[in-house]
Structure formats: C-alpha cells, structure tokens
Amino acid sequence: MHPLHPYNKQWLLTLIVSALLFCTQVCYAQDPINSKPDTTAIQQDTVKQNFDQRLIENLRRISKRKTIMGKLLDAILDFDRKEEDVYGLDAELIQREYEKHNYKIVRRLDIVTLDAFGYSLNDSTRVPRNILEKAGNALHVKTSRGLVRNQLLFRRDEALEPLALVESERLLRQTPYILDARIVVNNLTSTDDSVDVFVLTKDVFSLGGSGSYSPSSGSGRVSLRELNFLGRGHQVRGSYRFNMNRPRPWEASGAYSIQSIGRTYIGADLVYTNENFYKEKSAYLHRDFFATNTKYAGAVGYAAIEEQLLLPRAPEDTIPLYGDLKYNRTDVWLGRSFKFKSYLLGYEPRGRLIVGLRMIDTDYTQTPTDNFQSNTLTLGSIGYSVRKYYKDRYLFGFGRTEDIPAGALISLTAGYEKGDITERKYFAASTSFARYRTQSGYIYGSATWGSFLRDDRWEQGVLELETLYFTKLREWGNWKLRHYIQGRGTFGINRNPEELLPINNENGLRGFRSDLLRGSRRVTFNYEANLYTPFSLLGFRLAAVAFADMAWLSTGNKSSPFQNKPYSGYGLGVRFRNEYLSFSTIQILIGYYPKGPSFEEDFNNFRILESSRPYYDFTDFRFSRPGVANFR
C-alpha cells in the first residue's frame, strides 16, 4: 500500500480505463449458458453487426491460420468457452438422494483425477487443446489417487455411513489443491445391499507465487508456494521482503504443512517467521472436527514468539512506541463429539453435543509492562453444533463450486489461570447462526462474550458482535452482480492500557493505515459490490469492485463509539482470478479517506491498495478448541 501521488493518480486511472477497454474489445465475452453462436448471423451483412461481433469474428478467423499470430491468438483467447452447469446446486437434495444408499456395502470404488487445464467434470469430451494448457499440465504433478482415497469417509468393502458421500465431496473440494469434485453412485449397477461409487476430481495448478517491486524505493516482495508437492498434498510456502523502510531492511517467512498424515486426518504444521515486529518458530499436530460424524479432535503444539508490542500513545507522541514481548507456549487440547440417538433407520441427525478440554502453558521471558505473568490456563467447553452445507457460485470465487456453511453453534467455556503472581477465573459464552436461501441470499450473525474474573472484578473482557449478509446473485446475460454487507462491534471490558483496537485494513477500513489511531471500543460497517464481467484473458476472469467502509472508535469502559465522528473510506477497483491456478485473487483498489487522524500531519487521503486476501469469509459451525475470546 503506497501513498498516491497526483501524477500517479492520473496514470493509474488511465491504465485501468485502458485495460477495461482492451478487455472489452479483445477478450472474449462468453456466450450465455447453453447457447452457441448463430452461424446464420455470421453470414449476414456485416453492416448489421455491431463492432464487437465483427472484431471477435475477425480474431476467430485469424486464430485459425497457421501463422505465428494465428497460433498466439489460438493459445491465449478462448472463443468457445461456456459456463458450466453446477449439478445438484442444493446440497440438501443431494443428501436426500444418497439416503437410499445408507449402510449398503461399497462394492467398487473408482477414482479418476484430472489435470488442471483443459478438462471438465461435467463434460468428458473436453481435453487440452492449445499449447498453454498442455504445457501447464506437463509442469503439474497430478494429485495421486491414494491421496484422494485418504480423504474419503468411506472405504471399499465397508458399509456406507450416512452423510459419508456428501461430506466426502465437500472435504475434497475444500482442499487447497483440488478445484472441484464429484462423487456419483452408479444407480444402474446398484443393488439392494451394495453400490458402485465413482469419484472424480479436478486439480488446480498447485505451483504459484507473487511479487512486487517499487522502482522509487527499491523495495519489493517475492513469495512462492507449492500446494501439492509431488501430488502428495504437502504444502510449502516461502516469502521474502527486501529494501524495506524498517529498522531492518529484510523480512522472511516459511511454512511446511501436511493436511492429513495417511488416513488419520491428523495435520502437521511447521512455521518460521522472521519479521521486524514479529518472530515465530512453531510446530503443531492437529485434528479438527472436519466432518459432522467426527468423534475426536485435538492438537498438541509448541511456539516460541518474539514481538514488538505497540504501547499506548501519549498526547505528545508523534511516532509509535514499541516494547519487547518474548514468550514460549505449549498448547494441548482434546475434544469429543456425541450424536443424539435416532430411531429412524438411515436418518442421521446433524446436531452434535461436544465437550473439550485445553491446557495452555505460557512462559514469558521478557515483558514491556507489569500486566504480563507466566501462567498455566486450563479451559473446558461444552457446545451444541448443527451444520449443513449448500452449493453456490460467485461468492469468493469466479465460477467454481463453493460450499456455503449454514447452521448454529452455541458454546459455554469456563477456566482457571494459575499465574506466578496472581490467579483468576475465566468465563465465556458464544452463539452464532447462518441461513441460506437461493432467493434471498445468506445471513450470518454471532455474539461472543468472555472475561477473566479476579477478586470479584471483571478484567480483560470483550463483547463481540458480528453480522454478514450476501445478496442473491443477480444476472443479466453474462454479467453478474452480488452485494456484501458486514457490521461488527468490539467492546473492551477493563482491558490493559496496551490492549487497543486499530481500524486498519481488515480491522475496519480497507486500505486505511495509521499506527497511532486506536481505541478500546470499535464499530465498523462495510459494504461491497462485485460486478462479475464475462471478459477473460489467459484464463483470468475480471470483476469490478466498489466499496464503502465506516469505523467508529472510543476509549473507556463507559464510552460510546458513536459519540465521535466516524472514519470512512470509499473506493473502486478491479479483481482478477484464474480458478485453475493456485495464485491468490489479484486486487487493485483506489481508496479515498476523507478524514485522517488529527495528530498525523502527513496522512494521505488517497491510497492504492494492492491485496490478494479476501475481505470477507465464511465462518464454519464446527466446534473448535476452547479458548479466550479474541480482542483484536
């Protein structure tokens, strides 16, 4: 994120407009679903055709020539690409369709994995046709069938448990190295006591990376990642920044992850981070409640962390002040899920009663204030979870199948912290819900409260409220529009002086940056409109983005954020994504911020935000480890 010089403002606006015009004239505007070009229209007088149609037809004819230009156009432009139908859009209907096969023996299990480019799950006649697709597949190591088999919740020659088919398909689709998956029962060969199951998956191109460079400062960033190392599902990530305007000019980080060790569904993570204000070395083994029928979950891990903690600002301070915080942490937890008994044969209730126990040992070796003490925190939780999933498209992706969580989660937590100096109790409660309807959209809401109790006084507590709404997808031919609305409130309860809330980026205003502007209570409102266009170049789809953000801040237990004027941000930009690649979504946004902090004279009201992280995300209703409510 960089300040926007007036010359750069004009240059960037010109660049974006030129790029949009280029895409409009050169990129292929996809045909409506299930429609094909009318060959009779091509034979009509060209005077009756508009400019776009004539241009596309001219490019199509050039691409058929055996010249260098013809081969290049044939490689980068897709004239015949159509939207793929998403079969079984309602995941609940799929479940009911599969219920008749519950407890049947899996007689045969066939697994087919497809390369990243040129293939389709819904059209078996599609194959790689140009040099780019073939070259991409040659560089890609396809996911092994054994890895897919390990992700399935059913086995050959074993009885098919309820929800196993639909849950297995969802788990495959949620892996970072698989774009989409289908699990089909062959009804022609199925009998009263056995079934044949066919599993089909399509990969993403797992090798990816990104980078940036600023000629004026010489600073830059390089990152690489492999999400499916040798087709075994191992993930390797690395990032390096250089020539930074920080106390030390470079930063580096790396991580190695295994999603599932064999068929255990136990994952492993190794993390190394060496940044100016944060350093971490950690190792974890973990198993989540990954499916509705999962009985056991847990984790064990160790982390050594050093960070520069931003200290409270004094009235005369014009630069941020930091203090050193160093600690080692050991973390262990175990959870058990219990399902309710059903008297209906073949029916699987989705509700689960879950209990969890966690122990966290934190050893502080250096602290910036007296508010930190080495301690052992023991937490116990009990919760009730109901979850189900639907399918839709154009939420966070550009046409791929996405699983939408719906349901409810209620949990109660109690704990005891034994410290070197003092001891205290902890209590927390949380609830969340989500509903999804194809005609009205998606609505999510949550409320969380948690606080320590020492000598009949609540301290380091927080009340957090959140709501999120996605509208129904509106379509006009190949153009699609969806709106996103989010509201959040975070209210501190007797927090320590150094514990304050920012409103930077994902914490409030996207693109906003101020190290000194913070408070103990915060309310934010975010709106975004995504217009998905039919334009595609080299497989990258284009969407236009508009956003409006507002944030209120206050300090003090009895203060109201709404007593102060809000900070706001407004912006426009574009978003690119190729679903077949592991590259993150590319976003370039121009933001305008009418009001800046009064104590920052060099605050720039215009900024360019280059981001690859989604601003919104789904919250799953799986029960997670017992923990202290976040204040961030």
Side-chain angles (χ1 to χ4, degrees), residues 158-174:
E158 294 182 4
L160 196 59
E161 295 290 332
L163 301 179
L165 293 174
V166 65
E167 288 275 89
S168 295
E169 183 179 303
R170 178 183 61 83
L171 290 175
L172 287 172
R173 199 159 36 240
Q174 288 185 345

mmCIF file of all heavy atoms in Angstrom, residues 158-174:
data_model
loop_
_atom_site.group_PDB
_atom_site.id
_atom_site.type_symbol
_atom_site.label_atom_id
_atom_site.label_comp_id
_atom_site.label_asym_id
_atom_site.label_seq_id
_atom_site.Cartn_x
_atom_site.Cartn_y
_atom_site.Cartn_z
ATOM 1 N N GLU A 158 -16.789 -51.833 2.810
ATOM 2 C CA GLU A 158 -17.343 -51.444 4.109
ATOM 3 C C GLU A 158 -18.708 -50.799 3.903
ATOM 4 O O GLU A 158 -19.041 -50.337 2.808
ATOM 5 C CB GLU A 158 -16.409 -50.471 4.829
ATOM 6 C CG GLU A 158 -15.072 -51.081 5.224
ATOM 7 C CD GLU A 158 -14.201 -50.087 5.979
ATOM 8 O OE1 GLU A 158 -14.684 -48.964 6.252
ATOM 9 O OE2 GLU A 158 -13.048 -50.429 6.294
ATOM 10 N N ALA A 159 -19.508 -50.771 4.979
ATOM 11 C CA ALA A 159 -20.848 -50.187 4.901
ATOM 12 C C ALA A 159 -20.760 -48.677 4.740
ATOM 13 O O ALA A 159 -19.880 -48.018 5.299
ATOM 14 C CB ALA A 159 -21.643 -50.546 6.155
ATOM 15 N N LEU A 160 -21.679 -48.127 3.965
ATOM 16 C CA LEU A 160 -21.706 -46.697 3.673
ATOM 17 C C LEU A 160 -22.485 -45.977 4.774
ATOM 18 O O LEU A 160 -23.704 -46.109 4.899
ATOM 19 C CB LEU A 160 -22.372 -46.470 2.316
ATOM 20 C CG LEU A 160 -22.187 -45.113 1.647
ATOM 21 C CD1 LEU A 160 -20.713 -44.823 1.412
ATOM 22 C CD2 LEU A 160 -22.954 -45.077 0.337
ATOM 23 N N GLU A 161 -21.766 -45.205 5.599
ATOM 24 C CA GLU A 161 -22.391 -44.481 6.700
ATOM 25 C C GLU A 161 -23.186 -43.289 6.168
ATOM 26 O O GLU A 161 -22.855 -42.726 5.116
ATOM 27 C CB GLU A 161 -21.333 -43.992 7.686
ATOM 28 C CG GLU A 161 -20.584 -45.098 8.414
ATOM 29 C CD GLU A 161 -21.459 -45.816 9.409
ATOM 30 O OE1 GLU A 161 -22.413 -45.184 9.926
ATOM 31 O OE2 GLU A 161 -21.208 -47.013 9.665
ATOM 32 N N PRO A 162 -24.247 -42.863 6.893
ATOM 33 C CA PRO A 162 -24.996 -41.673 6.478
ATOM 34 C C PRO A 162 -24.087 -40.447 6.396
ATOM 35 O O PRO A 162 -23.160 -40.283 7.188
ATOM 36 C CB PRO A 162 -26.043 -41.517 7.594
ATOM 37 C CG PRO A 162 -26.199 -42.886 8.161
ATOM 38 C CD PRO A 162 -24.850 -43.530 8.053
ATOM 39 N N LEU A 163 -24.339 -39.598 5.441
ATOM 40 C CA LEU A 163 -23.601 -38.358 5.181
ATOM 41 C C LEU A 163 -22.201 -38.583 4.626
ATOM 42 O O LEU A 163 -21.512 -37.620 4.289
ATOM 43 C CB LEU A 163 -23.492 -37.499 6.457
ATOM 44 C CG LEU A 163 -24.798 -37.067 7.122
ATOM 45 C CD1 LEU A 163 -24.497 -36.249 8.373
ATOM 46 C CD2 LEU A 163 -25.655 -36.256 6.174
ATOM 47 N N ALA A 164 -21.751 -39.837 4.499
ATOM 48 C CA ALA A 164 -20.368 -40.080 4.075
ATOM 49 C C ALA A 164 -20.122 -39.585 2.658
ATOM 50 O O ALA A 164 -19.049 -39.026 2.371
ATOM 51 C CB ALA A 164 -20.045 -41.570 4.181
ATOM 52 N N LEU A 165 -21.063 -39.759 1.752
ATOM 53 C CA LEU A 165 -20.849 -39.361 0.362
ATOM 54 C C LEU A 165 -20.804 -37.839 0.211
ATOM 55 O O LEU A 165 -19.868 -37.286 -0.370
ATOM 56 C CB LEU A 165 -21.946 -39.948 -0.523
ATOM 57 C CG LEU A 165 -21.940 -41.477 -0.678
ATOM 58 C CD1 LEU A 165 -23.164 -41.930 -1.444
ATOM 59 C CD2 LEU A 165 -20.676 -41.939 -1.379
ATOM 60 N N VAL A 166 -21.809 -37.160 0.734
ATOM 61 C CA VAL A 166 -21.873 -35.705 0.559
ATOM 62 C C VAL A 166 -20.767 -35.009 1.342
ATOM 63 O O VAL A 166 -20.189 -34.016 0.888
ATOM 64 C CB VAL A 166 -23.269 -35.182 0.959
ATOM 65 C CG1 VAL A 166 -23.542 -35.385 2.430
ATOM 66 C CG2 VAL A 166 -23.421 -33.722 0.568
ATOM 67 N N GLU A 167 -20.412 -35.522 2.516
ATOM 68 C CA GLU A 167 -19.337 -34.924 3.297
ATOM 69 C C GLU A 167 -17.982 -35.156 2.644
ATOM 70 O O GLU A 167 -17.107 -34.284 2.665
ATOM 71 C CB GLU A 167 -19.338 -35.497 4.720
ATOM 72 C CG GLU A 167 -20.482 -35.032 5.577
ATOM 73 C CD GLU A 167 -20.193 -33.694 6.246
ATOM 74 O OE1 GLU A 167 -20.495 -32.663 5.616
ATOM 75 O OE2 GLU A 167 -19.668 -33.671 7.364
ATOM 76 N N SER A 168 -17.785 -36.309 2.048
ATOM 77 C CA SER A 168 -16.517 -36.591 1.360
ATOM 78 C C SER A 168 -16.319 -35.652 0.183
ATOM 79 O O SER A 168 -15.208 -35.152 -0.059
ATOM 80 C CB SER A 168 -16.481 -38.050 0.889
ATOM 81 O OG SER A 168 -16.472 -38.943 1.974
ATOM 82 N N GLU A 169 -17.380 -35.404 -0.566
ATOM 83 C CA GLU A 169 -17.276 -34.488 -1.700
ATOM 84 C C GLU A 169 -16.915 -33.086 -1.235
ATOM 85 O O GLU A 169 -16.080 -32.404 -1.844
ATOM 86 C CB GLU A 169 -18.594 -34.470 -2.469
ATOM 87 C CG GLU A 169 -18.560 -33.608 -3.716
ATOM 88 C CD GLU A 169 -19.871 -33.638 -4.477
ATOM 89 O OE1 GLU A 169 -20.307 -34.746 -4.847
ATOM 90 O OE2 GLU A 169 -20.459 -32.558 -4.698
ATOM 91 N N ARG A 170 -17.511 -32.648 -0.143
ATOM 92 C CA ARG A 170 -17.198 -31.321 0.394
ATOM 93 C C ARG A 170 -15.750 -31.255 0.876
ATOM 94 O O ARG A 170 -15.045 -30.262 0.628
ATOM 95 C CB ARG A 170 -18.142 -30.993 1.553
ATOM 96 C CG ARG A 170 -17.869 -29.647 2.201
ATOM 97 C CD ARG A 170 -18.781 -29.410 3.385
ATOM 98 N NE ARG A 170 -18.603 -30.395 4.428
ATOM 99 C CZ ARG A 170 -17.657 -30.334 5.359
ATOM 100 N NH1 ARG A 170 -16.801 -29.332 5.354
ATOM 101 N NH2 ARG A 170 -17.571 -31.253 6.287
ATOM 102 N N LEU A 171 -15.269 -32.284 1.557
ATOM 103 C CA LEU A 171 -13.894 -32.279 2.049
ATOM 104 C C LEU A 171 -12.892 -32.227 0.908
ATOM 105 O O LEU A 171 -11.870 -31.532 0.990
ATOM 106 C CB LEU A 171 -13.649 -33.517 2.915
ATOM 107 C CG LEU A 171 -14.368 -33.547 4.273
ATOM 108 C CD1 LEU A 171 -14.138 -34.876 4.969
ATOM 109 C CD2 LEU A 171 -13.902 -32.401 5.151
ATOM 110 N N LEU A 172 -13.170 -32.943 -0.167
ATOM 111 C CA LEU A 172 -12.273 -32.891 -1.322
ATOM 112 C C LEU A 172 -12.240 -31.490 -1.916
ATOM 113 O O LEU A 172 -11.183 -30.976 -2.285
ATOM 114 C CB LEU A 172 -12.727 -33.902 -2.376
ATOM 115 C CG LEU A 172 -12.482 -35.378 -2.073
ATOM 116 C CD1 LEU A 172 -13.150 -36.257 -3.120
ATOM 117 C CD2 LEU A 172 -10.985 -35.684 -2.020
ATOM 118 N N ARG A 173 -13.393 -30.862 -2.004
ATOM 119 C CA ARG A 173 -13.475 -29.541 -2.615
ATOM 120 C C ARG A 173 -12.802 -28.481 -1.738
ATOM 121 O O ARG A 173 -12.349 -27.449 -2.247
ATOM 122 C CB ARG A 173 -14.937 -29.194 -2.864
ATOM 123 C CG ARG A 173 -15.149 -28.109 -3.874
ATOM 124 C CD ARG A 173 -16.530 -28.113 -4.477
ATOM 125 N NE ARG A 173 -17.564 -28.479 -3.556
ATOM 126 C CZ ARG A 173 -18.374 -29.545 -3.715
ATOM 127 N NH1 ARG A 173 -18.251 -30.323 -4.750
ATOM 128 N NH2 ARG A 173 -19.308 -29.815 -2.827
ATOM 129 N N GLN A 174 -12.702 -28.708 -0.440
ATOM 130 C CA GLN A 174 -12.107 -27.720 0.448
ATOM 131 C C GLN A 174 -10.594 -27.845 0.546
ATOM 132 O O GLN A 174 -9.957 -27.003 1.170
ATOM 133 C CB GLN A 174 -12.718 -27.831 1.851
ATOM 134 C CG GLN A 174 -14.151 -27.325 1.911
ATOM 135 C CD GLN A 174 -14.707 -27.322 3.319
ATOM 136 O OE1 GLN A 174 -14.151 -27.931 4.225
ATOM 137 N NE2 GLN A 174 -15.809 -26.630 3.520
#
